[in-house]
């Protein structure tokens, strides 16, 4: 792993000599601090957030709470709760603006705690057993909403007493799908909502369930969170998104929004039953009059356009506010006066903040280049977290269209590192459409550099202007590669028709775009070595690597394929979220329309494979099971093509652990160096 420089070596070098410029490595990236979950006191005085630090020895992250005084110009972040070997996460302010609630595993079991903003008065508030996923304090400050995995129909948070059969074996048994989801085998539990009283003495007891009669996960799994749950302004009602389980769960994208009394006195009411597609992100306005959420139109499609919709809670009247705007809403936050909604929505390689007037539908862009991934409106501006291709997240505040930076969390860790430059470009791709891409040039590069041609996953996704801890273009540039990425047909941020174009056309227009995009980049940027390129991608990008092997293999010196589909027939029966695979191949199961799957099936092109390939997979990946990777490697080996297989036993569809990430980059860059000649 010649590209890896340990943090300890860097520290010793920095202590012994003056800081000199150098390139970014994955060793740097894995040790960066990661900010998230910002909370701002109601008076706008304090910003508190969770911050992840890497515990390399334990091969994991550890979380602390930090604070920033927003009233003092030049104030520096300070630790608020940061006990060694304890994780403090998910901060939320009490109405007094001086008390912070948070989740902590202090003592071994997760519980809700509180701490004064000055770091005193640390208290444990809950004592129920069995663990939980997250919590939200009611706007009235007298109730605590908790979501936790429990058996369906559990009346409280109290864990059910296990009944052990001394003669039982270890086999799992199932009668319907899901049997496994993302990276977890189904164990019969569901994430459910419970409400506890919150008093000056804490939040005692086991609470009361509020999802009577529903079977599903709130928040949704695998990636749902607090954004799918909202308190009513009076603290008497909870609004939440849930996809009801049953024999069609693996085929359904029908999340609905329910309302339920917080005291559990009545069954939940489905507010969006008429829409068979996704409804989610329920967000109640501070004045309690309106419920904002996003709605899709097409059932079974997970990447349909999300339209900002507002429901008048008194009359039940519903308005699709952004129906005429061809962008998909990614997040929702109300202004404190309930007159404006702040949203994020991708637009041509950016993910900015937009203001939406819910009355008139008027839309205005508030931030420019970059990727915004957290928005907190305050009385003095909108606090947000933003990153880019060359910078991890930091906090900013926007007043109108003017933004001010609040933090530079990783300034010390990035000191002395020369980051690459990013240049966007466009070209005419498939169907005569304008297609966008970008090129990342290593800092100080002289002469031509080999190309890392990266294909994004999704497939409905984007190679946008955002920082990544998994596929980081700046790290490839730091290793001496000119990285090129293209937002082919199917990418997001260019209108719904462009996003839709990839469905049932996986190997068609997207491949045409990739061919045209690489040519456009090498024609435009003379510093790219057009004849010395490797292609790499994961998920759909991994599929495309397998497809390129049979359709465009003579273009590349090597290929890196991570968690990609190799055999569409096997994938149709092995993956867990069936709605995705079936929608993407015409909306039918394999047995009803085999040709729709076989038309773009890489397994049918193996006889044409010839390019050296590195195959990477995770044993806990249930989205594109690791058997797909083994099959691709088997095909390569049988054809005598230089190949290597990397299997992560404790990773899912992503590589998340820091040591595994370092190994991943060592393998990938080592493979590319070998075949581009950089290893000589």
């Amino acid at each position: 792993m010649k590209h890896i420089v340990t943090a300890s070596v860097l520290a010793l070098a920095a202590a012994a000599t003056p800081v000199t410029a150098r390139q970014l490595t994955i060793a740097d990236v894995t040790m960066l601090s990661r900010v998230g979950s910002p909370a701002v006191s109601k008076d706008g005085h304090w910003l508190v957030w969770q911050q992840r630090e890497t515990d390399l020895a334990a091969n994991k992250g550890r979380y602390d709470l930090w604070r920033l005084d927003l009233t003092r110009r030049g104030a520096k972040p300070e630790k608020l709760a940061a006990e060694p070997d304890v994780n403090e996460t998910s901060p939320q302010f009490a109405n007094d603006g001086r008390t912070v609630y948070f989740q902590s595993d202090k003592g071994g079991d997760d519980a809700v705690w509180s701490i004064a903003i000055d770091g005193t008065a640390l208290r444990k508030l809950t004592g129920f057993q069995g663990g939980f996923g997250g919590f939200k304090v009611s706007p009235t400050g007298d109730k605590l909403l908790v979501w936790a995995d429990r058996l369906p129909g559990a009346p409280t948070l109290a864990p059910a007493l296990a009944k052990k059969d001394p003669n039982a074996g270890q086999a799992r048994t199932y009668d319907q799908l899901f049997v496994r989801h993302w990276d977890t085998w189904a164990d019969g539990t569901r994430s459910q909502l419970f409400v506890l009283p919150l008093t000056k003495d804490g939040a005692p007891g086991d609470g009361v369930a509020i999802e009577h009669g529903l079977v599903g996960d709130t928040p949704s799994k695998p990636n749902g969170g607090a954004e799918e749950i909202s308190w009513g302004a009076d603290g008497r009602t909870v609004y939440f998104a849930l996809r009801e389980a049953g024999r069609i769960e693996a085929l359904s994208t029908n999340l609905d929004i329910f309302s339920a009394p917080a005291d559990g006195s009545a069954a939940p009411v489905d507010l969006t039953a008429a829409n068979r597609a996704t409804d989610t992100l329920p967000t109640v306005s501070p004045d309690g009059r309106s419920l904002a959420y996003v709605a899709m139109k097409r059932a079974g499609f997970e990447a349909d356009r999300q339209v900002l919709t507002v429901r008048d809670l008194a009359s039940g009247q519903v308005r699709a506010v952004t129906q005429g705007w061809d962008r998909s809403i990614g997040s929702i936050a109300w202004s404190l006066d309930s007159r404006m909604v702040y949203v994020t929505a991708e637009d041509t390689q950016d993910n900015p903040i937009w203001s939406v007037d819910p009355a008139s539908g008027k839309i205005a862009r508030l931030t420019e280049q970059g990727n915004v991934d957290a928005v907190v409106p305050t009385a003095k501006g909108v606090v947000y977290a933003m990153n880019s291709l060359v910078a991890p997240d930091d906090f900013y505040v926007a007043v109108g269209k003017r933004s001010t930076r609040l933090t530079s969390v990783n300034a010390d860790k990035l000191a002395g590192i020369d980051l690459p430059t990013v240049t966007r470009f466009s070209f005419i791709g498939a169907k005569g459409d304008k297609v966008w891409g970008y090129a990342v040039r290593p800092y100080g590069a002289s002469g031509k550099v080999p190309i890392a041609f990266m294909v994004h996953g999704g497939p409905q996704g984007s190679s946008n202007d955002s920082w990544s801890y998994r596929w980081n273009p700046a790290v490839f540039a730091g290793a001496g590669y000119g990285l090129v990425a293209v937002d082919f047909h199917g990418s997001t941020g260019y209108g719904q028709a462009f996003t839709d174009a990839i469905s049932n056309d996986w190997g068609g227009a997207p491949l045409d775009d990739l061919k045209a995009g690489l040519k456009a980049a090498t024609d435009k940027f003379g510093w790219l070595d057009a004849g010395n390129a490797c292609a790499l991608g994961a998920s759909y990008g991994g599929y495309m690597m397998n497809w390129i092997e049979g359709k465009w293999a003579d273009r590349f010196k090597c290929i890196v394929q991570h968690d990609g589909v190799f055999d569409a027939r096997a994938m149709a029966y092995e993956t867990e979220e069936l709605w995705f695979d079936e929608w993407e191949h015409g909306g039918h199961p394999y047995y009803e329309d085999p040709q729709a799957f076989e038309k773009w099936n890489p397994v049918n092109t193996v006889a044409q494979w010839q390019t050296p390939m590195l195959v990477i997979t995770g044993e806990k990946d249930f989205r594109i099971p690791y058997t797909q990777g083994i099959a691709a490697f088997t095909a390569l080996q049988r054809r005598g093509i230089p190949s290597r297989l990397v299997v992560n036993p404790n990773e899912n569809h992503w590589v998340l652990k820091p040591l595994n990430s370092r190994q991943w980059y060592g393998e990938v860059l080592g493979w590319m160096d070998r075949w581009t000649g950089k290893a000589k």
Side-chain angles (χ1 to χ4, degrees):
M1 295 175 61
K2 62 184 179 180
H3 298 275
I4 304 305
V5 182
T6 67
S8 59
V9 171
L10 294 178
L12 289 172
T17 60
V19 174
T20 57
R22 61 176 180 81
Q23 300 292 335
L24 183 74
T25 72
I26 188 57
D28 300 312
V29 172
T30 52
M31 298 308 293
L32 292 177
S33 302
R34 309 186 194 185
V35 302
S37 299
V40 180
S41 59
K42 189 171 287 188
D43 60 5
H45 189 147
W46 294 99
L47 166 65
V48 175
W49 65 91
Q50 70 180 39
Q51 186 164 309
R52 180 189 186 272
E53 309 295 348
T54 299
D55 183 343
L56 198 60
N59 199 22
K60 64 180 182 180
R62 187 182 58 76
Y63 295 86
D64 300 320
L65 297 187
W66 288 70
R67 68 185 178 197
L68 180 67
D69 188 342
L70 297 178
T71 66
R72 290 196 300 115
R73 184 183 297 273
K76 301 296 183 183
E78 302 171 310
K79 288 184 178 180
L80 174 60
E83 292 190 50
D85 301 320
V86 173
N87 288 298
E88 298 102 350
T89 61
S90 307
Q92 300 172 41
F93 272 97
N95 289 332
D96 63 10
R98 305 288 303 175
T99 303
V100 178
Y101 301 107
F102 63 98
Q103 187 169 341
S104 172
D105 59 3
K106 181 180 174 68
D109 293 323
D110 275 322
V112 179
W113 292 66
S114 67
I115 191 171
I117 194 62
D118 63 4
T120 64
L122 180 67
R123 297 177 60 214
K124 183 179 180 182
L125 303 179
T126 60
F128 60 83
Q129 302 298 305
F132 66 104
F135 75 99
K136 276 193 173 184
V137 178
S138 68
T140 49
D142 61 347
K143 300 180 187 69
L144 191 67
L145 176 70
V146 170
W147 50 95
D149 287 353
R150 297 292 187 270
L151 292 174
T156 70
L157 283 158
L161 295 176
K163 296 180 180 179
K164 295 184 178 181
D165 181 351
N167 299 313
Q170 294 180 311
R172 306 182 186 98
T173 58
Y174 300 96
D175 295 303
Q176 64 183 48
L177 300 173
F178 294 117
V179 300
R180 59 184 187 174
H181 196 189
W182 188 247
D183 60 6
T184 305
W185 286 92
D187 64 0
T189 63
R190 294 284 180 172
S191 182
Q192 301 168 68
L193 300 177
F194 304 87
V195 174
L196 296 84
L198 182 58
T199 71
K200 61 182 179 61
D201 297 319
D206 293 318
V208 59
I210 65 170
E211 295 182 45
H212 306 305
L214 296 179
V215 178
D217 290 300
T218 304
S220 62
K221 293 184 177 181
N223 298 317
E227 73 281 355
E228 296 182 351
I229 304 164
S230 182
W231 276 102
D234 61 4
R236 298 173 60 186
T237 306
V238 176
Y239 300 87
F240 58 93
L242 177 139
R243 177 179 58 238
E244 291 192 75
R247 299 198 66 83
I248 64 166
E249 185 177 18
L251 292 168
S252 173
T253 61
N254 186 26
L255 273 77
D256 279 329
I257 294 174
F258 294 81
S259 66
D263 61 4
S265 60
V269 175
D270 189 343
L271 302 180
T272 60
N275 183 23
R276 306 304 297 172
T278 292
D279 303 285
T280 190
L281 307 185
T283 311
V284 177
S285 60
D287 64 11
R289 296 179 179 178
S290 303
L291 172 69
Y293 61 97
V294 296
M296 298 184 186
K297 279 190 173 181
R298 289 173 284 182
F301 186 23
E302 66 178 2
D304 200 8
R305 182 163 64 103
Q306 295 192 150
V307 174
L308 178 66
T309 305
V310 176
R311 178 187 182 96
D312 184 291
L313 289 174
S315 67
Q317 181 181 0
V318 174
R319 293 180 295 111
V321 178
T322 61
Q323 184 61 52
W325 186 38
D326 196 10
R327 291 296 181 266
S328 188
I329 306 302
S331 67
I332 300 172
W334 284 93
S335 64
L336 297 190
D337 62 8
S338 302
R339 295 181 179 180
M340 192 69 68
V341 180
Y342 297 103
V343 303
T344 55
E346 288 182 296
D347 182 59
T348 314
Q349 298 186 335
D350 293 314
N351 188 37
I353 302 174
W354 311 77
S355 64
V356 180
D357 184 334
S360 67
K362 182 180 179 180
I363 299 165
R365 182 169 176 164
L366 301 185
T367 60
E368 297 304 322
Q369 289 190 357
N371 175 66
V372 174
D373 56 13
V375 179
V376 184
T378 77
K380 301 177 181 179
V382 179
V383 173
Y384 62 97
M386 186 175 70
N387 58 68
S388 72
L389 281 163
V390 294
D393 270 309
D394 268 302
F395 292 113
Y396 301 76
V397 61
V399 179
K401 294 185 178 182
R402 182 178 179 181
S403 289
T404 302
R405 187 169 185 159
L406 297 173
T407 63
S408 296
V409 170
N410 287 293
D412 290 343
K413 294 179 180 178
L414 293 173
I417 295 175
D418 285 328
L419 291 164
T421 56
V422 180
T423 305
R424 301 181 184 188
F425 66 94
S426 63
F427 58 94
I428 300 303
K431 307 179 183 181
D433 293 335
K434 186 177 185 179
V435 179
W436 284 87
Y438 61 71
V440 184
R441 184 178 188 177
Y443 182 89
S446 59
K448 293 184 180 293
V449 298
I451 300 170
F453 189 52
M454 189 174 74
V455 180
H456 72 67
Q460 294 87 0
S462 173
S463 293
N464 58 14
D465 190 3
S466 62
W467 186 262
S468 173
Y469 288 94
R470 291 181 288 116
W471 287 73
N472 190 307
V475 173
F476 287 94
Y481 289 90
L483 186 135
V484 176
V486 170
D487 268 358
F488 47 83
H489 278 77
S491 299
T492 52
Y494 306 91
Q496 193 59 41
F498 194 86
T499 300
D500 289 348
I502 197 169
S503 298
N504 215 20
D505 192 33
W506 273 32
L511 181 59
D512 293 341
D513 289 338
L514 293 171
K515 290 180 176 180
L518 183 55
K519 183 178 187 305
T522 54
D523 287 347
K524 181 178 179 64
F525 305 110
W527 47 271
L528 291 171
D529 186 350
N532 196 12
C534 284
L536 59 159
S539 196
Y540 171 82
Y543 158 85
M544 182 52 72
M545 295 305 103
N546 290 329
W547 189 244
I548 283 173
E549 267 283 14
K551 297 293 183 177
W552 194 26
D554 58 350
R555 179 64 180 85
F556 299 102
K557 295 292 184 68
C558 70
I559 291 174
V560 178
Q561 185 262 100
H562 182 129
D563 288 342
V565 175
F566 168 74
D567 183 354
R569 179 181 184 181
M571 172 72 175
Y573 291 106
E574 290 178 349
T575 192
E576 14 84 288
E577 292 183 353
L578 296 178
W579 68 74
F580 163 75
D581 207 41
E582 293 185 7
W583 180 278
E584 290 303 302
H585 295 90
H588 302 283
Y590 182 93
Y591 56 82
E592 289 186 1
D593 189 5
Q595 184 53 36
F597 292 79
E598 296 299 342
K599 183 178 182 180
W600 309 115
N601 193 351
V603 76
N604 296 327
T605 70
V606 169
Q608 287 76 52
W609 284 25
Q610 59 180 290
T611 304
M613 181 190 285
L614 172 66
V615 180
I616 307 173
T617 188
E619 285 188 25
K620 296 178 70 176
D621 184 0
F622 301 155
R623 181 60 43 85
I624 300 178
Y626 71 88
T627 49
Q628 294 275 316
I630 291 176
F633 181 65
T634 300
L636 292 159
Q637 290 280 299
R638 287 291 287 116
R639 285 189 49 76
I641 299 169
S643 49
R644 183 173 173 86
L645 175 66
V646 178
V647 181
N648 274 304
N650 56 356
E651 298 286 9
N652 54 34
H653 200 52
W654 302 331
V655 175
L656 302 176
K657 298 181 183 299
L659 289 175
N660 292 350
S661 181
R662 290 186 175 196
Q663 183 182 12
W664 186 95
Y665 274 95
E667 292 285 354
V668 170
L669 292 173
W671 186 256
M672 294 171 64
D673 287 355
R674 173 183 173 184
W675 296 103
T676 61
K678 283 181 89 279
K680 295 178 181 178

